[in-house]
Amino acid sequence: MFKMEKNTPIKPVETQQKQLYHIKVNINGVDYEHDVEARLLLVHYIRDVVGLTGTHIGCDTSNCGACTVIFNGKSVKSCTMFAVQANGAKILTIEGLSKNGELHPIQRAFWENHALQCGYCTPGFIMQAYWLLKENPNPKEEEIRKGISGNLCRCTGYQNIVKAIMQAAKELRSK
Amino acid sequence: MAVTAIFGARVKRKEDPRLITGKGTYVADITPLGCLYVAFLRSPHAHARIKSINASKALSMKGVIAVYVGQDIKGKLNPVPTGWPIATDPPIKIPKYYPLPLDKVRFQGEPVAAVVAENYYIARDALDAIEVEYEPLPTVVNQEEAVKESAPLLYDDIPNNTSFVWELKGGDVDSAFKEADLIIEKRMVNHRLQPTPMESRAVVAQYNSATNELTMWITTQAPHIHRLLISGILNMPENKIRVIAPDVGGGFGSKIPTYGVDALVAFIAKELKRPVKFVEDRRENYLATAHGRDHIQYVQLAAKKDGRILGLKVTSYANLGAYLSTAAPGVPTYLFGLMLSGAYKIKAVNCKVYGVLTNTAPVDAYRGAGRPEATYLVERMVDILAQRLKMDPAELRKINFIKHDEFPYVVCTGIQYDSGNYERTLEKALQLVEYKKMRGEQAKARAEGKLIGIGISSYVEICGLGPSRAVRGTGFSLGLYESATVRVHPSGKVTVYTGTSPHGQGEETAFAQIVAEEFGISIDDVEVVHGDTAMIPWGMGTYGSRTVPVGGGAIAIAAKKIIEKAKKIAANMLEVKEEDLAFEKGRFYVKGAPSRGVSFQEVALASYQGEQLPAGMEPGLEATTFYDPENFTFPFGTHVCVVEIDKDTGQINILKYVAVDDCGRQINPMIVEGQVHGGIAQGLAQAIWEEAVYDNSGNLITATLQDYAMPTAMEIPSFITDSTVTPSPHNPLGVKGVGETGTIASTPALVNAVVDALSHMGIDHIDIPLKPERIWKLLKNR
Ligand code: FES
Ligand code: FES
């Protein structure tokens, strides 16, 4: 589903260790610059280098969606990309969703509909819902279920997640 | 306790604001400065002797700090103890479970070496550079195979790989079987599952060599128990260890056990004097974190022609894996056998359980833990009996139910059910599903060649673990009371410290509701602290749906103690007698003169100022309770599932799912529903999709989320949920617990529906999981 929009050329940096690459990434409106190994996963970059630990890791086979972020406007499982691929990209993570201390309607809907229990899957679901509702502002239940089928939740049985996304869709449409 | 707005209200959860904004703190989010990373080299073999390990290449790699193997910990770390060494004759045989094996590996994925490095990537690189010479040994993964004379032995001193044989004799089973008009025999497999909390296990350890203090952040459901066991493994004083369970991303039982690697990580932090972190990846979680279920059961049911069930004989082979995990022996025995008479008046139950060691990952509690295995067996047998007698399964249940006016009721296995109205949940569920109409539609559909089935499951489970006298009698190493400290601050704000360790169940909210209700204050004025051994006196943790009945009970009692003291202070402040005071909506006032009063907050302040206290009273306003319940609680309910089976593909389509549960009084019905939803999904997952599969050589072939078929939102339907309220007399709140009900009820409901759809073809049982392929094959052969 994801295709790189533009390939910003990357310059290698000389070090005694592994070869590092200099990348610039905008996350939640903030510009970051780091030297990273080519093999560093984007999710590890976001969590361990930038320090935004709201994006989670739940698997090693790109099945769970806990790591979902918005990458140049599209939903991406950040465990399936390398940090170097994010050079020049604009990324939105769960931490960037609420503005001025006000929850995004999707976040609020998750809260109001008890769409989370342990909360581990939640950032991934919320980011996926964010993308889903951008693509399809008026989804039917079936479309929501399909749209979140790349995300796994062990706690909720999904029912309240679907309900929350329905509510958020309605609210976002009326904006 | 008066029911007003807060107790029983659908209050939004207090824990959510942090979790929906990415501000939660899970163990993997914690990285102390200077932290090192551990990666484990894991055995590719299920059974092999370790001949040699050569780590010199790994050690020479840049960024690698150390490598530890079994020989490095020999004499320094004690084996991981079993927390529930059940009482059997002959005594249970407990194999030595070292954090790293000294000589042999006994399941695929068992760690053989730990690499410590500057970062995670280097640690993983170094794993490839370690050379291990193994001598592969014959392997046994199936419990029925493992008990045979010819089977390879995991331990030379444990014959037949049998750790224990446990027996339960309730009532006179021989006479029950003599009286019977018919006896039904079945073999049932309750297969192995991988618990799959979305957060895998993780541990961070930090050691201060000057103070000899160890701090550990662990993904645990029971921090105090972990501290105690880890102190034993490390030979380190318990009061020098602090275990913190921050936000924990689900557990479902798999985060109850203490794992050898957790103690090992602490050991490494001590040795290297640097913080150390280990985070499982999903594959490691699947290979080495405890699995659940895995019984092979032989069942005989004795009944009368009129439908009355007289007796049950059960022999179960429980696969325990290669080592005895913390609670492993108690799960397939007590938690299973004691509940075998289900919701019914059955005169006699005999149960014999073989606890078998195999070359597989350890098996421990998984959501429901023993009770789903019992309920599935009973609810399936009831349906088979109905089919034999050509009776309606709902009617047959009614005939055998313990009636609502017969509680408290002592079942033949010796436990006393607290309260119940099984008829009512059944009736309500049948109404919601429109049972009569559905039966009509089923007949019509059948005439058209369509396969529609209706499945009922009426369960009762044992929760609120539990009275210490009773659990100690089963061999459990500690009592199962719970502690609570309720502290009212001078400003009247309240902090509650609970010994339970919720990890998604929402007790930061539910417990605040209990206290807010008692004190007549806003729940915003109550904070709940859990999961930190430095803050909480002692705690047994969260599992077995015990958190609210036992932990909540403790809080309610502590809160009452505070009100008692506050009332005395208020009386002194108002210069009236205590009995002349009333307390309502957070205010003490003089009966008959309501304008004369003091608020809860004013009393709180006075309690810290001191001069207005009655003579001899200590200042301060807080109470600590250790609450040991007198008995267990027994939630119950009925679930009904309607399915249609696609003849061409064997695919099961769930048309309707109705759940009517009774968990006693509900503090927050929204949270109750959430627990039921998630529980049902997990039970359906076992019924249809999920299965942990080992091949004969002991390779776990479902070791990724690609292969382990955890359902998504596409597979799980919406549920219709409802409830009845039958308070439990066994705790101060009248609650029963709801964490496991859905999982317990839904597996048999689904399977009963599928078998019902196929019953006219002479099918009376199909082993789970009911994958399309299995059903398709069955249909093809008819
Ligand atoms: S961690 Fe990215 S999909 Fe699971
Ligand atoms: S809320 Fe726990 S995994 Fe979804």
Side-chain angles (χ1 to χ4, degrees):
Chain A
M1 199 173 308
F2 164 72
K3 220 176 103 234
M4 274 284 242
E5 305 294 330
K6 59 174 190 276
N7 261 320
T8 320
I10 304 170
K11 267 209 296 321
V13 179
E14 296 304 321
T15 70
Q16 311 127 309
Q17 293 194 6
K18 292 254 159 44
Q19 180 140 33
L20 299 183
Y21 296 85
H22 190 74
I23 61 167
K24 291 186 190 178
V25 190
N26 181 290
I27 306 181
N28 304 331
V30 180
D31 288 321
Y32 296 92
E33 286 189 44
H34 288 102
D35 298 333
V36 299
E37 276 187 55
R39 62 176 177 168
L40 181 71
L41 292 178
L42 178 58
V43 68
H44 287 145
Y45 175 73
I46 293 171
R47 286 177 52 80
D48 300 335
V49 180
V50 178
L52 294 171
T53 54
T55 301
H56 297 153
I57 301 173
C59 73
D60 38 19
T61 46
S62 114
N63 287 94
C64 78
C67 61
T68 305
V69 298
I70 305 300
F71 187 101
N72 290 336
K74 288 177 179 160
S75 130
V76 148
K77 291 180 174 175
S78 61
C79 72
T80 62
M81 286 184 72
F82 295 114
V84 290
Q85 289 175 281
N87 186 35
K90 255 177 107 81
I91 294 174
L92 179 68
T93 72
I94 187 71
E95 288 93 341
L97 207 53
S98 60
K99 292 263 157 21
N100 309 321
E102 207 184 300
L103 294 176
H104 186 279
I106 301 174
Q107 290 172 312
R108 223 183 32 251
F110 268 63
W111 192 12
E112 285 167 3
N113 290 284
H114 188 30
L116 60 144
Q117 292 180 25
C118 77
Y120 196 78
C121 70
T122 309
F125 270 97
I126 290 178
M127 297 320 285
Q128 180 62 15
Y130 177 89
W131 176 76
L132 179 72
L133 295 182
K134 280 233 144 65
E135 293 285 302
N136 180 0
N138 192 6
K140 296 193 190 50
E141 175 174 339
E142 272 325 291
E143 290 169 330
I144 293 178
R145 287 186 176 272
K146 187 152 186 250
I148 57 171
S149 64
N151 292 64
L152 293 172
C153 173
R154 194 53 152 176
C155 299
T156 63
Y158 303 107
Q159 188 159 335
N160 288 344
I161 295 180
V162 174
K163 214 168 119 196
I165 298 175
M166 284 286 206
Q167 178 189 313
K170 208 166 150 200
E171 204 177 311
L172 286 166
R173 279 202 308 277
S174 69
K175 279 212 163 166
Chain B
M1 174 178 243
V3 182
T4 61
I6 303 172
F7 191 105
R10 307 174 73 91
V11 179
K12 279 190 293 177
R13 298 200 322 168
K14 285 168 76 78
E15 36 279 88
D16 289 0
R18 67 176 187 270
L19 301 177
I20 53 179
T21 52
K23 303 275 167 37
T25 306
Y26 299 87
V27 174
D29 303 339
I30 295 164
T31 311
L33 221 53
C35 192
L36 298 172
Y37 290 76
V38 174
F40 288 99
L41 182 69
R42 296 180 180 276
S43 169
H45 301 287
H47 199 191
R49 203 171 302 284
I50 302 167
K51 295 184 75 180
S52 68
I53 304 178
N54 183 348
S56 55
K57 253 192 240 151
L59 279 166
S60 70
M61 289 168 69
K62 201 173 167 60
V64 173
I65 308 288
V67 176
Y68 293 90
V69 301
Q71 293 305 320
D72 299 322
I73 61 156
K74 200 171 170 180
K76 295 183 186 160
L77 291 183
N78 294 316
V80 183
T82 295
W84 202 344
I86 56 169
T88 53
D89 185 20
I92 179 171
K93 297 182 187 68
I94 301 175
K96 287 218 170 13
Y97 163 27
Y98 286 100
L100 289 172
L102 304 181
D103 51 352
K104 274 208 319 185
V105 287
R106 294 183 174 88
F107 67 97
Q108 187 185 48
E110 183 168 4
V112 290
V115 172
V116 192
E118 292 290 351
N119 76 38
Y120 177 69
Y121 284 68
I122 298 172
R124 298 294 286 240
D125 284 345
L127 295 184
D128 298 337
I130 300 175
E131 290 156 16
V132 185
E133 198 185 334
Y134 294 101
E135 177 195 326
L137 299 168
T139 298
V140 63
V141 299
N142 173 289
Q143 58 267 51
E144 283 191 293
E145 294 298 322
V147 296
K148 290 184 182 156
E149 285 303 329
S150 56
L153 287 183
L154 271 76
Y155 303 89
D156 295 337
D157 53 352
I158 304 184
N160 304 105
N161 297 308
T162 303
S163 167
F164 59 80
V165 183
W166 178 85
E167 271 187 275
L168 171 81
K169 292 200 166 97
D172 184 351
V173 86
D174 292 332
S175 85
F177 272 71
K178 248 182 242 140
E179 255 182 74
D181 295 326
L182 74 162
I183 291 169
I184 299 172
E185 293 188 29
K186 274 282 163 225
R187 176 184 188 270
M188 290 186 188
V189 178
N190 203 302
H191 60 278
R192 181 184 282 240
L193 298 173
Q194 296 160 201
T196 321
M198 290 323 297
E199 178 206 36
S200 57
R201 287 189 350 91
V203 48
V204 175
Q206 190 166 25
Y207 178 69
N208 183 325
S209 57
T211 60
N212 189 32
E213 280 169 339
L214 173 70
T215 304
M216 297 182 77
W217 292 264
I218 312 180
T219 51
T220 168
Q221 301 177 225
H224 288 84
I225 300 181
H226 280 212
R227 180 179 64 168
L228 177 62
L229 297 185
I230 287 170
S231 96
I233 301 167
L234 295 177
N235 274 328
M236 198 179 162
E238 195 183 352
N239 58 356
K240 288 289 186 185
I241 305 176
R242 175 181 184 186
V243 172
I244 301 168
D247 287 318
V248 173
F252 311 105
S254 71
K255 292 173 182 170
I256 302 171
T258 297
Y259 294 85
V261 295
D262 298 356
L264 183 66
V265 167
F267 171 77
I268 295 171
K270 267 182 93 172
E271 290 267 303
L272 301 177
K273 304 196 172 39
R274 282 184 62 181
V276 176
K277 178 169 181 173
F278 166 62
V279 181
E280 270 181 351
D281 63 26
R282 179 58 61 188
R283 185 178 161 77
E284 293 181 288
N285 177 263
Y286 276 169
L287 286 170
T289 284
H291 294 172
R293 317 264 195 267
D294 208 345
H295 291 203
I296 297 173
Q297 305 158 340
Y298 292 86
V299 194
Q300 289 182 301
L301 175 138
K304 285 298 230 190
K305 277 204 297 272
D306 62 7
R308 275 178 302 140
I309 302 168
L310 302 170
L312 258 185
K313 284 190 216 171
V314 176
T315 301
S316 172
Y317 294 84
N319 193 339
L320 305 170
Y323 299 99
L324 294 185
S325 178
T326 306
V331 172
T333 52
Y334 287 101
L335 292 179
F336 168 74
L338 290 177
M339 291 313 293
L340 276 172
S341 62
Y344 311 109
K345 284 192 265 187
I346 302 180
K347 281 201 284 193
V349 169
N350 267 17
C351 175
K352 190 171 189 178
V353 179
Y354 292 84
V356 187
L357 298 159
T358 65
N359 295 117
T360 60
V363 177
D364 206 314
Y366 170 59
R367 200 170 194 171
R371 291 153 287 171
E373 296 90 318
T375 304
Y376 176 72
L377 176 160
V378 178
E379 288 306 288
R380 277 278 48 240
M381 290 306 279
V382 170
D383 258 37
I384 296 171
L385 177 64
Q387 206 174 328
R388 286 284 163 93
L389 296 173
K390 301 197 168 32
M391 281 178 76
D392 183 281
E395 288 310 311
L396 183 62
R397 282 179 171 78
K398 280 185 215 161
I399 292 174
N400 287 288
F401 271 158
I402 301 163
K403 306 287 179 296
H404 66 276
D405 53 3
E406 292 173 320
F407 291 94
Y409 186 90
V410 179
V411 290
C412 67
T413 59
I415 45 178
Q416 190 201 73
Y417 290 3
D418 54 351
S419 61
N421 193 333
Y422 303 158
E423 308 97 302
R424 191 162 56 163
T425 53
L426 175 67
E427 281 309 334
K428 207 164 182 182
L430 294 180
Q431 264 168 31
L432 281 171
V433 84
E434 299 179 286
Y435 188 64
K436 286 233 171 68
K437 193 174 138 212
M438 269 295 163
R439 282 284 176 215
E441 279 177 25
Q442 177 188 31
K444 239 197 292 159
R446 214 170 248 184
E448 291 164 14
K450 280 200 227 148
L451 301 174
I452 292 206
I454 307 164
I456 300 171
S457 142
S458 294
Y459 70 93
V460 54
E461 62 152 330
I462 183 167
C463 288
L465 272 53
S468 297
R469 254 175 248 287
V471 298
R472 286 285 295 137
T474 69
F476 197 83
S477 298
L478 290 163
L480 273 172
Y481 45 81
E482 198 47 86
S483 85
T485 296
V486 176
R487 178 170 298 155
V488 184
H489 303 284
S491 60
K493 309 277 186 211
V494 180
T495 306
V496 177
Y497 302 83
T498 172
T500 64
S501 196
H503 42 282
Q505 299 87 344
E507 277 88 2
E508 285 174 35
T509 308
F511 286 171
Q513 286 179 263
I514 296 174
V515 171
E517 171 78 30
E518 284 289 343
F519 294 168
I521 58 177
S522 158
I523 70 160
D524 296 335
D525 290 344
V526 186
E527 288 300 316
V528 176
V529 174
H530 58 80
D532 185 345
T533 60
M535 313 250 282
I536 293 141
W538 172 258
M540 291 305 295
T542 285
Y543 41 83
S545 306
R546 67 185 302 277
T547 305
V548 172
V550 191
I555 290 166
I557 293 169
K560 282 206 168 41
K561 284 189 193 169
I562 285 174
I563 290 295
E564 274 168 34
K565 179 171 179 180
K567 197 170 187 183
K568 288 195 171 72
I569 300 171
N572 207 46
M573 290 168 80
L574 295 165
E575 298 176 338
V576 293
K577 284 203 195 111
E578 234 190 292
E579 24 327 341
D580 296 333
L581 279 187
F583 180 62
E584 210 184 348
K585 293 193 178 139
R587 196 165 168 275
F588 294 94
Y589 62 87
V590 181
K591 288 178 199 161
S595 61
R596 274 191 69 203
V598 283
S599 70
F600 180 75
Q601 288 79 3
E602 286 168 317
V603 174
L605 184 60
S607 79
Y608 285 93
Q609 290 170 326
E611 87 282 4
Q612 296 193 74
L613 301 182
M617 181 184 273
E618 285 181 14
L621 197 55
E622 69 172 68
T624 295
T625 307
F626 277 65
Y627 166 58
D628 198 349
E630 265 162 46
N631 204 338
F632 301 97
T633 60
F634 297 85
F636 60 91
T638 295
H639 290 205
V640 187
C641 179
V642 184
V643 300
E644 176 165 7
I645 297 168
D646 184 325
K647 271 187 171 167
D648 298 326
T649 62
Q651 192 91 30
I652 298 163
N653 186 7
I654 300 171
L655 302 178
K656 207 167 188 187
Y657 194 102
V658 168
V660 180
D661 296 285
D662 193 321
C663 60
R665 291 184 62 210
Q666 302 184 6
I667 301 172
N668 187 331
M670 177 191 82
I671 293 178
V672 168
E673 279 163 23
Q675 289 297 308
V676 171
H677 289 173
I680 297 172
Q682 258 167 301
L684 292 179
Q686 172 170 24
I688 311 181
W689 303 284
E690 292 181 14
E691 183 179 25
V693 184
Y694 281 97
D695 70 13
N696 285 336
S697 326
N699 298 304
L700 181 64
I701 59 177
T702 48
T704 72
L705 262 171
Q706 198 96 272
D707 305 295
Y708 189 71
M710 180 183 152
T712 72
M714 295 280 277
E715 287 83 39
I716 298 293
S718 284
F719 315 117
I720 300 165
T721 56
D722 206 336
S723 58
T724 60
V725 175
T726 309
S728 172
H730 287 169
N731 61 68
L733 296 170
V735 297
K736 291 192 172 212
V738 72
E740 296 153 300
T741 55
T743 316
I744 291 170
S746 63
T747 313
L750 184 285
V751 178
N752 284 348
V754 170
V755 173
D756 183 55
L758 305 175
S759 57
H760 60 294
M761 303 177 174
I763 291 168
D764 70 354
H765 181 68
I766 318 168
D767 270 328
I768 40 180
L770 304 180
K771 298 192 178 175
E773 167 200 5
R774 192 169 276 179
I775 300 200
W776 178 79
K777 275 188 189 149
L778 206 72
L779 290 173
K780 219 180 106 198
N781 295 334
R782 297 275 147 177

